[in-house]
Amino acid sequence: MAFVIGTPSRSSYGSFNKMVGSLGKSPIGSPHMFNQYMQSMELNNMKTYAPSSLAGVKPIAVEQNLLDPTFVKRKSKMDMLHLATPAAQQMRLKLIAGSVIVFINSGYKGKRFIYEKARDLGVVAIIIDNHGSWSEKLVEDGVIKKFIGVDMNAPDIEAQIVSIINGLDDEGLSVDGVTTFWETAVPLVARVAEALGLPGNPHDAIEAAKNKHQTRARMSKGKLPTPRNYLISSDVELKAAADIVGFPAVLKPIEGLLSIGVVRVESEIHLRKVFQDVTEQMEGMYMTRDGGMASIRPGEKLPTGAHPLKTKLMLEEYLDGIEVDVDIVLTAGEPVYCKVTDNWPTLEPWFNETGDNSPSILPDDHQRELEALCVGSLKCLGFKCGVFHVEAKYTTRGPRLIEINSRMGGGQVRENNLAVWGVDLVDESLMTAIGLPCHPPVPSGPYTCRSALYFNSKQTGIMGPADWLANVRKLPNVVYARLLVGDGDEVMCAEDGLPTWLGQIMCEGETPQEAIDWVVKYEQMVDPDIIPQGGEVALRCLLPIDFSREDMGFLKAPTQDAQDYRLSLLRDRVVVFISAGYEGKKFIFERAKAHGLMSIIIDNPGSWSEALEADGTIKKFIPIDLNANRDQVVSQIVAAVKKLPREGLPPSGVMTFWETAVPLAARVAEGLGCVSNTSKAIDAAKNKHETRRMMSEAGLPTPRNFLIKSVDQLPAAAKMVGFPAVLKPTVGLLSIGVVRVNDEEHLLDTYKETEAVMADTFLTKDGAMGKLSDCDGVLPRGASPLNCAMMLEEYLDGTEIDCDVVMSGGEAVYSKITDNWPTMEPWFNETGDNVPSLLPTEQVAELEALCVQTLKCLGFQTGVFHVEAKYTTRGPRLIEVNSRMGGGQVHENNKAVWGTDLVDESLLASIGIPNAPPAPEKPLTCRSALYFNAPRSGVMGPGDWLKEVRSKPGVVYAKLLVKEGEVVQCATEGLPTWLGQIMCDAPTPEEAMALVKAYEAEIVAPILDKPAKAKATVVPIPAVVAPKSDVFTPTGSPAATSSIKKPVSKSSGGGLSAAFGSKTNLSEAKKGAEPKMDNSWGN
């Protein structure tokens, strides 16, 4: 009767292994192997055990049966397990059938072939991986027996997996081994195997191999040749590292992947820069569960299935010579397979692979030395069994180790070893997992010779749709030609960073050199389909072929000829605009079209700008809900923009002229690799409190301020800042929520009311203000909430100004000052302005210097900025930074007075073309504008009350800003309404100011009493709607305190609750209509 053993427990075969060891053989590593092995011996005369009874058999009984003479006679069968013959290999493979193997982390989809091979061998495969892994579907496909979803990032994942595997016994799935083919899971598998008593290497050997510094320490202790190296804990140790290692050297993570962070350095200065760059690059980087690389921002949670790449860095001597891969199989601590593959010279300084060939063409003695070093390294680390992929170099001083991978190599490693040497490393890995000895039969010479070539991108951009390897696949000796990136994917060349692998060709030949010759020949026949994108790449593509590096000086010259040339480079460029703003900004897109630039607008569905595609102003409109989660919106926009090259619209830049979209545009530009200021700089400028913090750190003069997180902090804020003070949102718009407060009681009342109103207020997609309470608490499509933190800041006396700045290459190339007249306090509503400034020359210079220094300290490098400041009795002080072209009349004022078109400069900056506007020494004209703030509250009456003014001398325009029937309010009841505006030109600023004030005195505005049916009352508008003592003082002397002490209380029907009614045509916005707004307004 045949000897039959069912499924034993993991403790039932210890005596069997003890007996096998006494026979001089390797132990059998799992209950399944005990069962399978005994069946293969055909021991017919031994006692039969029922499957359920084996666990109860005492070990001594098993030993006694194994000492039976019949077993010893069959000892030759045991010997066969350790033979490197095809028959013995077939026997070992048959013994795998029925074994239960748990695979921890399935890796990416390209590893499916491993599980299919396991299935074909009869393995009962169980995968433990993150919930939602691609491998979950393998159960449905019949490839694996079971999928178990867990959180692989859980801190107790090892204990979870041990518990899961123990629980499988209850399902009749007693586990024989655990393994992985995924690099980041190797240490976890080793710990789990140790905990369960399953076959495997000691986890300390695995950890030592994963840590390059530990590897070298153990090798040095084992008297093996080791490169000079130094573990760097911080930048303080860089000099010591440089002194010990010398140059050239290689900076690398101690735990690396895909050559990320591995850079050659040539000097200590170079080392310091690269150390900082690599540290920043590695921060937040992780490997996705699909094998890709990505990064998260500070504070963001690691995605499910991702593995962080945080690691220390080490400096190591640069190794010359030929790099190789050595694939090794160990059994019982000895090598049973060891083959060398040559790697071609890497693409330095990034050490990116370029190609390989197998077998090696190095001299035999060099190969033997390399094999000996790699095997010796494995032994000194404590490895006993398994498949290893070891990287090394044969240098002028002999063989030197690079790193040890404690698992089968990725890429083409498995198929190369199988094709060239007939050894399937998947088979050997599975045998090791269940404790079966490995002895693959290896031919005396290769079955074939192979060479592979990687296409490293020679250009930064995005991939086009063409299959540029299609023709190569049909050519002689081609094994395969694979695309490694797809249509729309970003790619990078070595000059810009770690180069992207675009594709791979594999060829066979009768000799290694013949295979190499084939791939090199075919490399010359292909042209990867790369579309240039953004930044310096776009600029290089735009310049004529004969535009030499020496001529770049002309491109940066502030002359009209150079400006004309710069603008000509806009033709046929594609720029993506994030949010069109309100309808008054149409002139921007018309200007872009006039330069031949193709505009793509991405905005909310139903935006007014959608019609611009039909009338030919823009090239394309893409509707995306910009109110969704910010990260989701960024991802959607990036995905949409990546598709544009398929339509022949490769984007050169990303930008916006709309305040609320500035942070979004910066993140999209970063996601696409386009020219942009960093989102960090944008966010800092948008948050007034953060702006002041960074200014203070940079040593720039900063008003006293206090960030208020709750009403409880008001006393502390008052104590630090003092009175009078200004309460304002940290993120503001149109002076909304900005109120002067004169004492602590006033501060408390104003804070509570402001907080409530800000929470109820939103900005519509067309620039109007709305209230959530008027919309049933639902934010309208395209609207942006204004709810934000508040801050208290010292009141600044003196003259307020606007400073329009253009930066290029981190330096200011244009900065001009406009004087703002005294604001309507306590609301800080604007009353008028004039340009050029009437301030003394030295004060103008100080203001410009403060504004530019602030931009630099925030980290800005390029673009157009609208900065607001004051010249106080203590010198210049900043109010806020707007990271885009100013709204209102800013564009037309700079163009008329200084000949500088800020739309042009914004467009140039967006695609990386240098800015150098040719501004004249003296103004081309002088301008002054006056805003009509409502002198009393009511309803706007009929009639064009500015009609007569438009025909008067010097008038540039006279615009009505509210319509008949709209509610308006004065300063005593809330934020005053702008009724209209007059702008005049004159030879001097003083003359321009005199004109607007003279015309103002002639004007009456029809304001009806409430209710709307009341008889119209014509009210003359005073010359300046502000206390007479608070006069405009161009010399910078302090203005007197306003006579307005406090806004009217809530009970009066005014106050902040009434403050947001009519900066724009809100009544139409509430009805869903688009308010007709002039381009003078908005942000």
Side-chain angles (χ1 to χ4, degrees):
M1 188 173 182
F3 182 90
V4 178
I5 296 179
T7 305
S9 70
R10 280 184 286 276
S11 63
S12 302
Y13 58 95
S15 296
F16 174 84
N17 279 332
K18 180 179 179 182
M19 190 64 220
V20 171
S22 71
L23 297 174
K25 299 300 178 184
S26 301
I28 300 300
S30 70
H32 169 79
M33 286 311 306
F34 174 48
N35 186 29
Q36 290 289 83
Y37 188 79
M38 295 306 293
Q39 289 186 59
S40 72
M41 297 299 102
E42 299 177 355
L43 302 180
N44 296 330
N45 63 334
M46 295 186 68
K47 182 178 179 180
T48 301
Y49 294 100
S52 61
S53 64
L54 181 64
V57 177
K58 294 181 179 180
I60 187 66
V62 178
E63 287 188 26
Q64 289 170 347
N65 285 326
L66 290 174
L67 287 172
D68 187 283
T70 307
F71 174 78
V72 178
K73 290 178 182 178
R74 303 297 180 98
K75 181 171 172 289
S76 60
K77 283 268 186 176
M78 289 181 118
D79 292 334
M80 191 172 181
L81 272 182
H82 299 272
L83 296 179
T85 64
Q89 184 73 351
Q90 285 303 310
M91 176 183 174
R92 287 187 289 270
L93 292 177
K94 286 180 180 179
L95 290 174
I96 294 176
S99 61
V100 180
I101 300 179
V102 173
F103 297 83
I104 298 177
N105 200 319
S106 56
Y108 59 93
K109 289 182 181 180
K111 293 188 180 288
R112 180 182 172 115
F113 73 91
I114 294 169
Y115 310 109
E116 291 174 336
K117 179 64 192 253
R119 175 200 60 192
D120 295 343
L121 291 172
V123 170
V124 180
I126 299 170
I127 290 179
I128 297 177
D129 204 345
N130 285 289
H131 299 284
S133 165
W134 67 273
S135 57
E136 190 169 358
K137 189 176 182 294
L138 295 179
V139 177
E140 180 185 334
D141 295 345
V143 177
I144 65 173
K145 177 72 174 179
K146 188 179 183 69
F147 176 89
I148 302 172
V150 297
D151 178 4
M152 295 295 293
N153 290 330
D156 63 340
I157 186 61
E158 178 185 334
Q160 285 188 45
I161 293 177
V162 169
S163 176
I164 288 169
I165 292 176
N166 282 328
L168 290 172
D169 286 342
D170 298 334
E171 301 178 35
L173 294 171
S174 183
V175 174
D176 300 296
V178 292
T179 190
T180 189
F181 288 81
W182 190 238
E183 173 65 24
T184 58
V186 173
L188 175 60
V189 168
R191 293 194 298 272
V192 169
E194 281 190 353
L196 293 168
L198 291 172
N201 286 297
H203 83 271
D204 67 322
I206 299 289
E207 298 289 356
K210 194 167 182 65
N211 184 312
K212 296 181 180 70
H213 189 258
Q214 284 189 31
T215 301
R216 279 139 184 76
R218 291 202 183 187
M219 288 179 66
S220 181
K221 187 176 181 180
K223 307 301 182 184
L224 293 173
T226 308
R228 294 187 305 276
N229 63 87
Y230 192 101
L231 181 64
I232 303 172
S233 299
S234 71
D235 58 0
V236 176
E237 298 178 311
L238 293 178
K239 186 178 189 312
D243 291 343
I244 289 175
V245 175
F247 295 100
V250 179
L251 185 70
K252 60 174 66 173
I254 59 172
E255 296 182 11
L257 202 65
L258 298 174
S259 298
I260 291 172
V262 182
V263 186
R264 171 172 168 160
V265 290
E266 307 295 338
S267 65
E268 186 177 339
I269 294 175
H270 189 199
L271 170 62
R272 290 187 179 278
K273 181 181 185 305
V274 171
F275 179 83
Q276 182 179 350
D277 292 345
V278 170
T279 301
E280 292 176 357
Q281 178 193 23
M282 298 289 289
E283 182 66 30
M285 284 197 72
Y286 62 88
M287 171 176 269
T288 67
R289 65 185 182 190
D290 298 314
M293 283 298 161
S295 61
I296 56 175
R297 299 185 183 94
E300 291 182 338
K301 186 179 179 182
L302 197 68
T304 300
H307 185 86
L309 294 186
K310 285 186 177 179
T311 179
K312 290 184 178 180
L313 298 173
M314 63 184 285
L315 190 69
E316 183 171 81
E317 69 172 301
Y318 175 78
L319 300 176
D320 59 8
I322 305 298
E323 184 173 334
V324 301
D325 293 336
V326 184
D327 293 300
I328 300 172
V329 180
L330 285 183
T331 280
E334 295 298 330
V336 292
Y337 176 80
C338 190
K339 291 298 176 183
V340 178
T341 296
D342 296 333
N343 288 329
W344 299 0
T346 55
L347 200 57
E348 295 187 6
W350 308 106
F351 297 94
N352 226 33
E353 297 174 21
T354 58
D356 57 49
N357 56 267
S358 181
S360 171
I361 56 176
L362 289 174
D364 288 345
D365 58 336
H366 288 187
Q367 293 187 50
R368 300 296 82 78
E369 289 180 64
L370 285 161
E371 291 171 356
L373 174 67
C374 293
V375 170
S377 300
L378 293 176
K379 288 184 175 183
C380 89
L381 265 60
F383 286 107
K384 301 297 183 184
C385 60
V387 177
F388 303 86
H389 184 71
V390 187
E391 300 173 27
K393 264 191 172 185
Y394 198 92
T395 74
T396 50
R397 294 186 293 146
R400 293 293 186 273
L401 184 86
I402 296 175
E403 68 179 31
I404 293 172
N405 300 284
S406 311
R407 41 79 190 168
M408 181 183 81
Q412 68 270 22
V413 169
R414 185 250 185 172
E415 53 192 323
N416 275 4
N417 281 272
L418 183 58
V420 177
W421 299 110
V423 174
D424 193 327
L425 297 180
V426 173
D427 293 352
E428 305 307 318
S429 299
L430 297 176
M431 291 178 196
T432 299
I434 60 174
L436 194 62
C438 297
H439 292 280
V442 184
S444 57
Y447 290 121
T448 186
C449 299
R450 282 192 165 191
S451 182
L453 181 143
Y454 289 100
F455 291 92
N456 283 270
S457 183
K458 297 179 180 179
Q459 189 176 19
T460 296
I462 53 179
M463 290 305 297
D467 181 355
W468 47 277
L469 287 175
N471 293 333
V472 174
R473 296 189 187 100
K474 306 172 185 177
L475 297 175
N477 295 75
V478 174
V479 178
Y480 59 73
R482 297 171 178 166
L483 297 176
L484 300 179
V485 290
D487 180 15
D489 287 344
E490 298 177 18
V491 299
M492 184 181 293
C493 64
E495 289 81 4
D496 293 331
L498 183 67
T500 308
W501 282 332
L502 307 180
Q504 182 190 29
I505 298 176
M506 171 82 72
C507 288
E508 288 187 340
E510 293 186 3
T511 66
Q513 190 59 54
E514 182 182 338
I516 292 169
D517 291 342
W518 282 116
V519 292
V520 171
K521 176 182 178 181
Y522 295 150
E523 177 191 24
Q524 309 303 317
M525 299 169 60
V526 298
D527 183 19
D529 182 22
I530 301 176
I531 301 168
Q533 173 189 349
E536 290 301 314
V537 174
L539 181 56
R540 287 198 298 268
C541 292
L542 285 168
L543 298 179
I545 295 174
D546 60 351
F547 204 88
S548 67
R549 187 173 297 273
E550 291 74 18
D551 292 328
M552 286 296 288
F554 171 70
L555 197 64
K556 297 179 180 180
T559 65
Q560 192 57 51
D561 286 345
Q563 182 74 352
D564 292 342
Y565 184 76
R566 285 188 290 268
L567 293 174
S568 74
L569 297 178
L570 292 173
R571 180 163 296 280
D572 297 327
R573 293 293 87 190
V574 177
V575 171
V576 176
F577 295 85
I578 309 299
S579 182
Y582 59 92
E583 195 168 357
K585 292 187 180 290
K586 181 176 180 178
F587 76 95
I588 293 170
F589 308 106
E590 291 173 335
R591 181 67 177 172
K593 180 187 177 184
H595 289 306
L597 186 142
M598 293 181 280
S599 299
I600 311 290
I601 291 179
I602 296 179
D603 207 340
N604 288 289
S607 164
W608 68 272
S609 58
E610 190 168 358
L612 297 181
E613 181 178 354
D615 67 21
T617 303
I618 66 172
K619 191 69 176 178
K620 186 178 181 69
F621 176 86
I622 301 175
I624 289 180
D625 182 0
L626 302 185
N627 286 340
N629 173 272
R630 186 182 70 187
D631 291 341
Q632 292 177 352
V633 174
V634 171
S635 297
Q636 287 182 344
I637 294 176
V638 168
V641 174
K642 284 183 177 180
K643 295 177 181 178
L644 291 174
R646 306 176 189 176
E647 305 173 36
L649 297 170
S652 296
V654 175
M655 68 177 307
T656 188
F657 287 84
W658 188 235
E659 174 65 24
T660 58
V662 173
L664 177 59
R667 285 166 171 81
V668 171
E670 286 176 339
L672 292 166
C674 292
V675 175
S676 172
N677 290 299
T678 65
S679 58
K680 180 180 178 181
I682 298 291
D683 292 344
K686 197 163 181 67
N687 185 313
K688 297 181 181 68
H689 186 261
E690 179 64 10
T691 300
R692 282 142 182 76
R693 185 192 67 79
M694 294 180 71
M695 290 178 66
S696 180
E697 285 186 357
L700 297 176
T702 309
R704 294 188 307 276
N705 63 89
F706 191 103
L707 180 64
I708 304 170
K709 298 180 180 178
S710 70
V711 69
D712 297 336
Q713 293 181 307
L714 293 181
K719 184 176 180 181
M720 175 180 285
V721 176
F723 295 100
V726 179
L727 183 69
K728 61 174 68 174
T730 57
V731 179
L733 193 69
L734 294 173
S735 300
I736 293 168
V738 182
V739 186
R740 170 173 167 160
V741 290
N742 299 315
D743 54 49
E744 196 164 339
E745 180 188 358
H746 188 191
L747 171 62
L748 177 61
D749 292 343
T750 304
Y751 177 81
K752 288 180 178 179
E753 197 166 359
T754 301
E755 190 175 43
V757 174
M758 290 293 291
D760 187 44
T761 306
F762 59 82
L763 177 70
T764 72
K765 65 184 179 183
D766 303 300
M769 290 297 139
K771 297 180 181 179
L772 283 171
S773 55
D774 293 337
C775 306
D776 298 323
V778 179
L779 193 69
R781 181 180 294 276
S784 303
L786 292 187
N787 194 15
C788 66
M790 303 291 291
M791 63 184 285
L792 189 69
E793 183 170 80
E794 68 172 302
Y795 175 80
L796 298 177
D797 60 7
T799 304
E800 183 174 333
I801 59 95
D802 294 336
C803 183
D804 294 298
V805 182
V806 180
M807 293 193 76
S808 188
E811 297 296 331
V813 294
Y814 175 86
S815 60
K816 295 297 178 183
I817 300 288
T818 296
D819 295 332
N820 289 330
W821 299 358
T823 55
M824 182 78 73
E825 295 187 6
W827 309 106
F828 297 94
N829 221 33
E830 297 172 20
T831 58
D833 58 45
N834 57 268
V835 59
S837 173
L838 287 172
L839 292 173
T841 304
E842 63 274 11
Q843 292 183 8
V844 168
E846 288 181 65
L847 285 161
E848 290 180 350
L850 175 66
C851 293
V852 171
Q853 288 166 3
T854 300
L855 293 174
K856 289 183 177 181
C857 91
L858 294 177
F860 286 108
Q861 294 289 318
T862 183
V864 177
F865 304 87
H866 184 70
V867 188
E868 300 173 28
K870 266 192 172 185
Y871 199 92
T872 75
T873 51
R874 293 186 294 147
R877 293 293 186 272
L878 183 90
I879 297 175
E880 68 179 32
V881 173
N882 299 284
S883 313
R884 40 77 191 169
M885 182 185 81
Q889 64 270 23
V890 169
H891 166 259
E892 50 194 322
N893 277 3
N894 279 271
K895 187 175 180 181
V897 177
W898 299 110
T900 297
D901 193 318
L902 297 182
V903 171
D904 291 353
E905 301 308 319
S906 299
L907 296 175
L908 292 171
S910 75
I911 62 175
I913 296 176
N915 296 94
E921 292 184 10
K922 296 182 178 181
L924 303 176
T925 187
C926 298
R927 283 196 164 184
S928 183
L930 180 143
Y931 303 95
F932 293 97
N933 284 268
R936 76 181 191 91
S937 298
V939 176
M940 204 65 204
D944 182 353
W945 46 278
L946 289 177
K947 181 178 180 181
E948 299 299 326
V949 176
R950 294 191 187 99
S951 59
K952 291 183 178 293
V955 173
V956 179
Y957 60 70
K959 299 175 179 177
L960 297 176
L961 301 177
V962 290
K963 293 181 178 180
E964 179 183 352
E966 290 185 7
V967 177
V968 300
Q969 67 186 9
C970 63
T972 57
E973 295 188 14
L975 185 67
T977 307
W978 281 331
L979 306 180
Q981 182 192 27
I982 297 176
M983 179 174 284
C984 290
D985 274 359
T988 67
E990 293 90 342
E991 291 177 85
M993 291 170 62
L995 280 176
V996 293
K997 290 184 178 182
Y999 297 147
E1000 175 194 30
E1002 302 175 7
I1003 296 170
V1004 289
I1007 299 179
L1008 302 176
D1009 291 329
K1010 295 180 182 178
K1013 293 183 179 180
K1015 184 178 179 181
T1017 303
V1018 177
V1019 182
I1021 298 178
V1024 178
V1025 191
K1028 292 182 179 179
S1029 58
D1030 195 8
V1031 295
F1032 176 55
T1033 52
T1035 59
S1037 60
T1041 302
S1042 170
S1043 61
I1044 301 176
K1045 299 297 182 185
K1046 294 172 67 175
V1048 178
S1049 67
K1050 298 178 188 176
S1051 61
S1052 70
L1056 281 169
S1057 59
F1060 303 94
S1062 189
K1063 268 273 181 167
T1064 59
N1065 188 353
L1066 180 58
S1067 60
E1068 288 193 15
K1070 289 179 182 176
K1071 298 174 185 175
E1074 294 181 353
K1076 295 179 180 178
M1077 303 173 64
D1078 192 273
N1079 62 26
S1080 300
W1081 304 109
N1083 43 321

